């Protein structure tokens, strides 16, 4: 992170020429000289892969193709941007993905339109200061020196930074990672004494969960969701807690509600799909797998597993022809991916087997095996046994 | 609500969204033109643009409020009540509205301790403050003061002006319901008050919830728009 805004290298991503020009003029007037622009996700990702940007100003809505959130996720996945990069999303309205708990990867800040230069500059300066306060903590976390990271958190809190709650939250995560549950518990208690803050109450629930007090954990997660229905992290933990309590039906119910609030998390959809499949709720599992395929359409998370698992659900629902269609799509979508081809062929074999077409099943399996022999990689995930 | 009604409301909401996008493009262009006028010293054009921008801003605020109310109703608004520094929030509200105040020669003062933090949804609170400032702009003589402070476990936000104050029919004590002041003739729809009081109520802490108070007096003896959050 540069010491000042003027030294920063900035990328502006917006599909409207007019907006790109306006934003470029804004940052140029702030004294920034290193400015690039991109008009869509693909172009932005190419630039992000070539240049280390300090600041990315990205419109959430980028027309056809990837939206701003997906560009952010892909950039993060490929390590094009680091923890010190400031990512500001410009948007016409606030979405669940931008706020607490509703997405795994979030922008550092979001700005509602209409924006002006003074407003943008104020936010960028604030974010640079924030990144500078987080820098030493994240450095310690990267080298897995969690004790040092905690010491640095305390230093920042003492120094009266602009974001004391954020630092406390990082500290609580560190305490949980180090399995210092007493320390974490004390921190959450101190925060909760003042106000019922969702992250602290959820944290307290995690402490109970680790102490195997599942009933206590369940009550806390339920309280959080009652007070803050959008705080999805609590829903994920509540589902996990119900699973630990042996109540898979409730776990599925909670996840079904959670994906209604925040439908675009592939991990949550996967959890729902797997839970529903185990519960025999094949229609729910099917919908969730279909959603995963749709979410990951333009995403780096796109994998043949969602296709083969959807095929398995369809096959179990006595729709083998539908299952084969899904696998055809998988073949097409992963044309140049040997790993995917093996997985898909193995899945095909299982569907044919279930249909009683042993010769076709064997042919598919033979194809999978010949691909396997020609494929140098370490391991290939087989069709999970059920 | 019947299905037919649902269809109509959804239609309204998506149209509002669309109108808001067009308006934002206009606003951006108008501000650029105004800045250019100021640079070349074309004061008369700059000042008349000021009024146009004020009106466009008011329209944007109204559309945002309508869209937010729709989302409250359908439980789709991503309410995010978290801790924010008040000084920073007020500073940003001023940055959004400063150019308008300059057009009319109004002195806008901010009064807030730097270590004042509170829990609120940043965008919603900024929305009601901008709305209150737009109102004060209209009714003040030449001064507006916006302040924030913590008293007895409540955050109190005040927007005060040195105008004639609110007419008696619009004064509102804590907890009063907001359904007055709707008049198509005067252009006062009551939307701003309704929205502000809804947002205040959504802010809860334990069994306490926020409130909107409309009174006269305060620092300048004019209108006072007060929001209290637990």
């Amino acid at each position: 992170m540069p010491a000042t805004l003027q030294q920063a290298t900035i990328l502006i991503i917006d599909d409207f020429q007019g907006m790109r020009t306006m934003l470029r003029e804004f940052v140029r007037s702030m004294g920034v000289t290193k400015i690039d622009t991109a008009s869509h996700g693909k172009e932005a990702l190419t630039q992000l892969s070539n240049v280390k940007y300090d600041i990315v100003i990205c419109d959430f809505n980028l027309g056809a193709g990837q939206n701003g959130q997906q560009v952010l996720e892909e950039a993060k996945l490929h390590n094009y941007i680091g923890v010190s990069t400031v990512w500001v999303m410009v948007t016409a309205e606030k979405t669940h993905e931008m706020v607490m708990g509703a997405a795994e990867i979030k922008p550092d800040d979001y700005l509602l339109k209409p924006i002006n230069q003074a407003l943008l500059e104020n936010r960028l300066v604030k974010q640079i200061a924030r990144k500078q306060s987080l820098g030493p903590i994240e450095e310690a976390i990267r080298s897995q020196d969690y004790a040092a990271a905690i010491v640095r958190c305390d230093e920042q809190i003492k120094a009266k930074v602009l974001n004391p709650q954020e630092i406390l939250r990082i500290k609580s995560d560190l305490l949980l990672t180090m399995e210092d549950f007493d320390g974490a518990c004390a921190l959450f208690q101190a925060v909760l004494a003042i106000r019922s803050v969702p992250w602290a109450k959820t944290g307290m629930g995690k402490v109970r969960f680790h102490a195997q007090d599942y009933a206590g954990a369940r009550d806390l997660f339920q309280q959080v969701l009652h007070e803050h229905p959008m705080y999805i992290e609590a829903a994920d933990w509540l589902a996990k807690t119900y699973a630990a309590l042996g109540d898979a039906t409730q776990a599925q119910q909670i996840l079904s509600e959670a994906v209604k609030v925040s439908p675009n998390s592939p991990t949550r959809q996967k959890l729902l799909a797997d839970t529903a499949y185990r519960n025999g709720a094949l229609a729910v599992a099917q919908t969730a797998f279909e959603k995963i395929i749709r979410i990951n359409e333009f995403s780096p998370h796109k994998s043949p597993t969602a296709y083969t698992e959807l095929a398995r659900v369809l096959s179990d629902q006595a729709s083998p022809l539908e299952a084969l269609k899904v696998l055809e799509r998988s073949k097409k979508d992963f044309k140049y991916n040997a790993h995917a081809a093996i997985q898909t062929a193995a899945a095909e074999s299982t569907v044919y087997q279930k249909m009683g077409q042993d010769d076709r099943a064997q042919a598919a399996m033979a194809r999978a095996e010949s691909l396997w022999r020609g494929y140098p990689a370490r391991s290939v995930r087989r069709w999970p046994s059920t | 609500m019947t299905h037919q009604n649902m269809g109509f409301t959804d239609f309204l909401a998506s149209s509002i969204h669309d109108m808001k996008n067009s308006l934002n493009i206009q606003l951006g262009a108008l501000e650029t033109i105004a800045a250019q006028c100021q640079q070349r010293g074309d004061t008369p054009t700059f000042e008349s643009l000021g009024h146009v921008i004020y009106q466009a801003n008011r329209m944007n605020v109204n559309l945002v409020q309508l869209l937010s109310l729709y989302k409250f109703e359908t439980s789709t608004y991503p309410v995010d009540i978290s801790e924010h520094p008040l000084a920073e929030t007020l500073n940003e509200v001023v940055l959004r509205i400063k150019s308008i105040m300059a057009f009319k020669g109004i002195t806008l003062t901010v009064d807030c301790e730097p270590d004042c933090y509170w829990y609120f949804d940043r965008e919603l609170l900024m929305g009601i403050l901008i709305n209150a400032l737009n109102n004060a702009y209209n009714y003040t003589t030449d001064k507006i003061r916006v302040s924030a402070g913590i008293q007895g476990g409540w955050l109190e936000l005040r927007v005060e002006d040195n105008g004639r104050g609110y007419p008696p029919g619009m004064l509102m004590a804590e907890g009063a319901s907001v359904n007055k002041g709707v008049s198509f003739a005067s252009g006062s729809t009551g939307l701003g008050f309704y929205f502000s009081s809804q947002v205040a109520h959504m802010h809860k802490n334990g069994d306490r919830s926020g409130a909107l108070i409309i009174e006269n007096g305060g620092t300048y003896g004019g209108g006072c728009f007060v929001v209290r959050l637990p």
Side-chain angles (χ1 to χ4, degrees):
Chain A
M1 195 74 242
T4 68
L5 172 58
Q6 286 70 35
Q7 295 163 349
T9 306
I10 296 189
L11 176 64
I12 292 164
I13 314 170
D14 201 304
D15 56 331
F16 275 105
Q17 170 68 47
M19 273 300 279
R20 280 200 304 278
T21 313
M22 192 179 88
L23 289 169
R24 182 201 276 271
E25 273 318 303
F26 282 173
V27 289
R28 190 176 282 160
S29 304
M30 295 172 200
V32 179
T33 53
K34 290 169 277 179
I35 312 163
D36 287 333
T37 60
S39 60
H40 51 80
K42 258 216 165 87
E43 190 186 354
L45 286 162
T46 310
Q47 281 161 301
L48 283 160
S49 69
N50 291 327
V51 182
K52 204 95 188 125
Y53 290 101
D54 302 308
I55 298 173
V56 181
I57 302 168
C58 178
D59 197 289
F60 179 74
N61 201 333
L62 296 173
Q66 288 169 306
N67 66 29
Q69 173 71 23
Q70 290 165 327
V71 177
L72 166 63
E73 283 173 12
E74 185 159 346
K76 210 153 239 175
L77 191 95
H78 293 304
N79 274 323
Y80 297 158
I81 55 168
V83 281
S84 65
T85 315
V86 172
W87 191 290
V88 176
M89 210 69 96
V90 176
T91 173
E93 58 185 328
K94 196 155 101 174
T95 69
H96 293 297
E97 284 89 353
M98 294 169 204
V99 304
M100 55 166 193
E104 278 66 23
I105 294 172
K106 271 172 282 196
D108 293 294
D109 204 353
Y110 51 91
L111 251 172
L112 294 195
K113 293 178 195 173
I115 63 173
N116 59 42
Q117 187 190 316
L119 206 61
L120 181 63
E121 184 165 1
N122 181 55
R123 286 284 181 93
L124 294 180
V125 168
K126 216 171 72 183
Q127 283 301 324
I128 290 175
R130 177 175 157 259
K131 290 288 179 178
Q132 272 158 358
S133 82
L134 294 179
I137 301 171
E138 273 159 354
E139 196 185 313
I141 294 176
R142 265 200 308 280
S143 50
Q144 300 193 352
D145 189 349
Y146 301 126
I150 287 175
V151 171
R152 288 177 186 176
C153 284
D154 290 335
E155 284 166 7
Q156 291 295 327
I157 294 165
K158 248 192 234 141
K160 298 227 172 217
V161 280
L162 261 177
N163 50 338
Q165 284 265 338
E166 183 181 21
I167 309 261
L168 268 182
R169 209 168 156 171
I170 294 171
K171 182 181 170 181
S172 77
D173 279 341
L174 286 164
L175 290 167
L176 289 175
T177 309
M178 291 176 76
E179 301 190 349
D180 177 359
F181 296 121
D182 291 340
C185 185
L187 189 157
F188 294 134
Q189 250 160 7
V191 173
L192 291 171
I194 301 164
R195 173 180 292 255
S196 176
V197 185
W199 67 264
K201 202 172 246 185
T202 305
M204 197 60 110
K206 291 181 207 169
V207 172
R208 294 256 194 290
F209 184 94
H210 285 295
Q212 298 186 354
D213 171 13
Y214 299 124
R218 177 197 60 204
D219 292 349
L220 282 167
F221 296 136
Q222 276 173 342
Q223 279 174 35
V224 174
L225 288 170
H226 179 72
E227 292 165 2
H228 306 273
M230 299 292 174
Y231 199 75
I232 286 309
E233 194 196 355
D236 293 344
W237 275 90
L238 182 58
K240 207 169 147 173
T241 308
Y242 273 123
L245 284 164
D247 191 344
T249 316
Q250 270 295 335
Q252 183 190 326
Q253 178 63 29
I254 298 297
L255 288 166
S256 287
E257 293 295 321
V259 299
K260 270 188 221 154
V261 176
S262 173
N264 291 325
S265 156
T267 13
R268 185 168 303 119
Q269 291 284 0
K270 175 81 167 82
L271 204 57
L272 172 60
D274 290 343
T275 310
Y277 185 77
R278 278 196 302 273
N279 287 345
L282 297 180
V284 177
Q286 182 188 335
T287 311
F289 280 124
E290 279 167 354
K291 180 73 186 169
I292 295 169
I293 293 174
R294 269 203 309 282
I295 300 169
N296 286 340
E297 173 116 42
F298 299 103
S299 145
H301 305 297
K302 185 170 177 159
S303 102
T305 309
Y307 294 77
T308 53
E309 291 189 332
L310 174 59
R312 178 181 60 173
V313 173
L314 288 166
S315 167
D316 285 4
Q317 287 199 91
S319 311
L321 296 177
E322 289 297 314
L324 291 171
K325 255 190 234 164
V326 168
L327 294 174
E328 279 307 313
R329 255 172 70 203
S330 175
K331 278 189 210 165
K332 225 172 75 195
D333 285 5
F334 299 95
K335 214 187 236 165
Y336 304 107
N337 180 336
H339 180 140
I342 297 167
Q343 198 175 331
T344 308
E348 249 176 3
S349 166
T350 315
V351 174
Y352 280 126
Q353 212 163 33
K354 202 150 191 165
M355 291 169 81
Q357 301 190 8
D358 286 346
D359 44 342
R360 284 193 166 161
Q362 267 162 22
M365 192 44 84
R367 204 165 55 246
E369 263 158 20
S370 89
L371 283 164
W372 166 274
R373 276 191 297 276
Y375 184 60
R378 316 133 314 217
S379 72
V380 174
R381 222 181 112 196
R382 289 285 180 135
W383 188 286
S385 55
T386 51
Chain B
M1 208 178 259
T2 68
H3 276 289
Q4 227 166 0
N5 277 339
M6 268 310 284
F8 181 63
T9 332
D10 292 342
F11 224 167
L12 269 182
S14 60
S15 307
I16 291 170
H17 188 78
D18 192 40
M19 287 188 268
K20 206 162 62 70
N21 283 339
S22 302
L23 192 59
N24 280 332
I25 294 172
Q26 295 179 36
L27 259 169
L30 282 170
E31 289 208 9
T32 312
I33 299 170
Q36 286 163 355
C37 289
Q38 200 174 19
Q39 264 169 16
R40 350 177 250 275
D42 183 356
T43 314
T45 317
F46 175 66
E47 278 170 1
S48 53
L49 270 175
H51 192 66
V52 180
I53 293 175
Y54 166 73
Q55 292 297 346
N57 253 318
R58 245 173 49 92
M59 202 147 103
N60 184 58
V61 167
N62 279 341
L63 293 177
V64 170
Q65 289 178 347
L66 284 172
L67 201 57
S68 303
L69 286 172
Y70 167 79
K71 290 185 174 179
F72 296 167
E73 200 108 316
T74 51
S75 302
T76 49
Y77 188 91
V79 185
D80 173 21
I81 296 178
S82 44
E83 196 187 43
H84 301 280
L86 261 302
E88 194 47 53
T89 309
L90 296 189
N91 177 29
E92 191 162 305
V93 167
V94 171
L95 288 177
R96 280 195 187 265
I97 208 120
K98 204 165 61 180
S99 61
I100 297 171
M101 296 294 163
F103 294 127
K104 215 178 151 185
I106 295 169
T107 315
L108 178 61
T109 335
V110 178
D111 190 1
C112 176
E113 294 294 328
D115 61 349
C116 177
Y117 282 80
W118 205 254
Y119 288 84
F120 49 85
D121 182 294
R122 185 177 65 180
E123 277 63 40
L124 289 178
L125 191 74
M126 283 181 30
I128 62 179
L129 287 173
I130 287 168
N131 174 61
L133 283 164
N134 271 332
N135 268 338
Y137 169 91
N138 220 356
Y139 295 108
T140 189
T141 310
D142 59 359
K143 274 189 199 151
I144 300 174
R145 173 181 182 263
V146 46
S147 65
I150 296 162
Q151 280 167 5
W154 292 80
L155 171 72
E156 186 167 288
L157 290 146
R158 305 183 67 90
V159 177
E160 302 171 326
D161 63 62
N162 66 345
R164 281 187 305 141
Y166 290 97
M170 290 179 87
L171 298 177
M172 205 185 298
E174 190 157 343
S177 68
V178 189
N179 51 12
K180 46 191 163 186
V182 181
S183 156
F184 285 102
S186 74
S188 168
T189 58
L191 171 66
F193 286 151
Y194 179 73
F195 174 79
S196 303
S197 120
Q198 290 285 101
V199 168
H201 277 286
M202 282 163 66
H203 286 77
K204 293 188 166 59
N205 185 9
D207 50 6
R208 300 176 300 163
S209 53
L212 169 69
I213 300 150
I214 300 298
E215 57 188 31
N216 288 327
T219 315
Y220 298 139
C224 307
F225 177 102
V226 186
V227 173
R228 282 162 56 82
L229 301 180

